[in-house]
Structure formats: structure tokens, C-alpha cells
Amino acid sequence: MTPRTATTHLPLVPAVAFVLVWSSGYISGPAAVHAAAPFTVLGWRFVLAAVIGATLARLLRRPPRMDRAVLGRVAAVGFVMNAVQFGLMYVAFDLGLGATLASLFHALSPVLTALLAAALLGERVTPLQVGGFVVGVLGVLLVLGADLGLAGGPVAVAVGCLSMLTLSLGTLGQRWIGAQPDLLWSAAVQFAVSAPPLLVLGWLTEGAWPVTDTRQALGSVLFLAVVNSIVGLVLLSLLVLRGGSGAAASLFFLSPPVTAVLAWLVLDETLSVTQLVGLVVAVVGVGAATRTRRAPVPVAAQDVGTQ
């Protein structure tokens, strides 16, 4: 059987829905941290997502297919992909990082994953992938501009970059799992192990009730858990099943422009002409790099998005 590649055609409706769901995570994330502290928001999001995922898995009679060793690896990777990666990005949101920039950072992640696989695992990387990543970074620098204060400050940008790196490292860690456990059970485990550390960290650093707008916080947590975590995961798994991981990865470059439109409509974020040019440059670079060969997809990241 010929391996599916990034040129495989994807079903249109699930593909469009996935891009919208993935992009909406960069809107619901900032909305959530405006209403409550980041670690507390994420902790309760993952509690709810774990309950929903496990309930669906049981209702659908899905077999876990995990022995103790696989369970431990799934949990470890999930902790990195969810607690660490999203924890960093939500702290960046809290510091003022914009939704479009966050989306650009994560759009670069599949290409960075391929470059890390080449550096750490000796896998082949094409010149076009390297060039695409360089062009993507140049586009991000144009969007950032000379004044990092407008992007939330250098700390927010640095934390956002760390989130991108963690997402790429977590994606590589998926290979360490070795087996292929059921996706719903795997996600439920990963959400479940991520929630307690975040809730404890939130209680220690943010207080017992760090909520400024209860209604917005509750709505954001529900949206993040149900739409971004569960619906996004189901859509991504469907796309991987129908088109292969490379084809699904090729959609990630569409997220930044969609996020920019949503951020303008919902968060009143605007971009200058130079930033718009940078956005186009970054999207072209990432699009070229992710369409050259099969690229790893951060399946367990479901926020899929900041997520």
C-alpha cells in the first residue's frame, strides 16, 4: 500500500471545521485568562475534558489497549503536551501575547518538529523544509516588529516560543509511546494527569478563587473542554484516518490567517500593514514546508490549540 502524503485530499467539511476549531482555541484561551488565572483555567478545563473523554470511550465501548508501560509513556507525553505546553502558552496570554502571534508560533511547530527529528534522531530533512522554516520565522519577526511591548513584551514572546518548542518535543515524544492505544482513552489519560499539577500550582500561585468574571470563566472553560479538547481531537483523528498525518499537518498553516480574522472580530486585535505582510510571509513559509513531505502532527495536543 502506498503511504499517504500531504497531497492526499481531505474531506472538505471536517477540514474546514478542524481549522475553525483549532483557530478558535487562540481566541478562547485569551478570553479565559481575562476572566480567571491561567493555571486554574487549564486545570479545570482538563478535569472536564478527562471526564468527557473517558465517558465517551466507555459509551462507545472503546478498548484502552494500554499495558502499564504504555500507560506510563502516554501519561508522560500527555503531561508535556498539555500541562507544560498549554501552561506556558496561557501564561504568555496572561502576559499579553496576542492570539495571532500564538497561532503563528504553533503553526511553525510541525516544521520545527521535523528539524528536531533531523538533529536528534538523524531523520532526513529537505532543503525546502529548512527554507520554509526560515521564511516562517522571518514572517513572525515582521509580525513582532521592533517594539516587543506591543506583542506583550519580551517575556511573553519568550514564553510563547518555549510553548512552541515544548509542543514539538512532545510531538517527537509520541514516537516513544511505541504502541497505538485508543485515541479517546489516551486523551482522557493525558488530560487527567495534566489537571492535578495545574490545579495545585494554581492554588499555590494564584489563590483559591482567582476568578474576576465567573460567567466568562465558566463559558470559556466549557468551550475549551468540549470544543477545543474533545471536538478538535475527534476532527483531527478523522482527518488523520482519511488523509494521513501529513495531509492533516498541511492544514496547520491555515490557522494563523483564520485566527487573525477571529481575533479581529472577537478580541478587537488589529494588525498593521507590515504585520499583515509578515503574516502572509510566515503562512507561505509554513505552507511550503509542511507540504513537501509527511510532517508530524501533534495529535495529543488537542486544544487542539491553544488551543
Side-chain angles (χ1 to χ4, degrees), residues 131-148:
F133 182 75
V134 171
V135 171
V137 170
L138 290 175
V140 170
L141 292 176
L142 284 174
V143 175
L144 282 172
D147 186 2
L148 291 183

Side-chain angles (χ1 to χ4, degrees), residues 219-294:
S220 297
V221 168
L222 286 171
F223 188 90
L224 286 164
V226 175
V227 177
N228 294 136
S229 290
I230 302 301
V231 175
L233 181 71
V234 170
L235 287 171
L236 180 57
S237 63
L238 175 63
L239 292 173
V240 170
L241 180 66
R242 295 287 299 275
S245 62
S250 69
L251 292 174
F252 281 71
F253 82 101
L254 295 174
S255 179
V258 174
T259 300
V261 173
L262 293 176
W264 173 62
L265 292 173
V266 179
L267 302 177
D268 200 28
E269 287 188 10
T270 57
L271 298 176
S272 67
V273 173
T274 302
Q275 288 175 317
L276 287 172
V277 171
L279 178 64
V280 172
V281 170
V283 168
V284 169
V286 174
T290 54
R291 288 177 179 274
T292 58
R293 62 191 288 262
R294 293 193 297 176

Side-chain angles (χ1 to χ4, degrees), residues 114-190:
L115 298 182
L116 288 173
L120 300 176
L121 304 177
E123 295 188 3
R124 179 177 174 270
V125 63
T126 67
L128 189 54
Q129 280 181 300
V130 176
F133 182 75
V134 171
V135 171
V137 170
L138 290 175
V140 170
L141 292 176
L142 284 174
V143 175
L144 282 172
D147 186 2
L148 291 183
L150 298 176
V155 175
V157 172
V159 173
C161 290
L162 283 176
S163 175
M164 172 182 66
L165 176 61
T166 306
L167 178 58
S168 293
L169 291 173
T171 304
L172 285 179
Q174 298 275 29
R175 308 179 191 185
W176 173 55
I177 293 175
Q180 297 210 351
D182 177 78
L183 189 62
L184 275 175
W185 278 118
S186 177
V189 168
Q190 293 181 332

Side-chain angles (χ1 to χ4, degrees), residues 207-224:
W209 184 249
V211 178
T212 57
D213 186 331
T214 302
R215 180 179 298 181
Q216 183 173 324
L218 179 60
S220 297
V221 168
L222 286 171
F223 188 90
L224 286 164

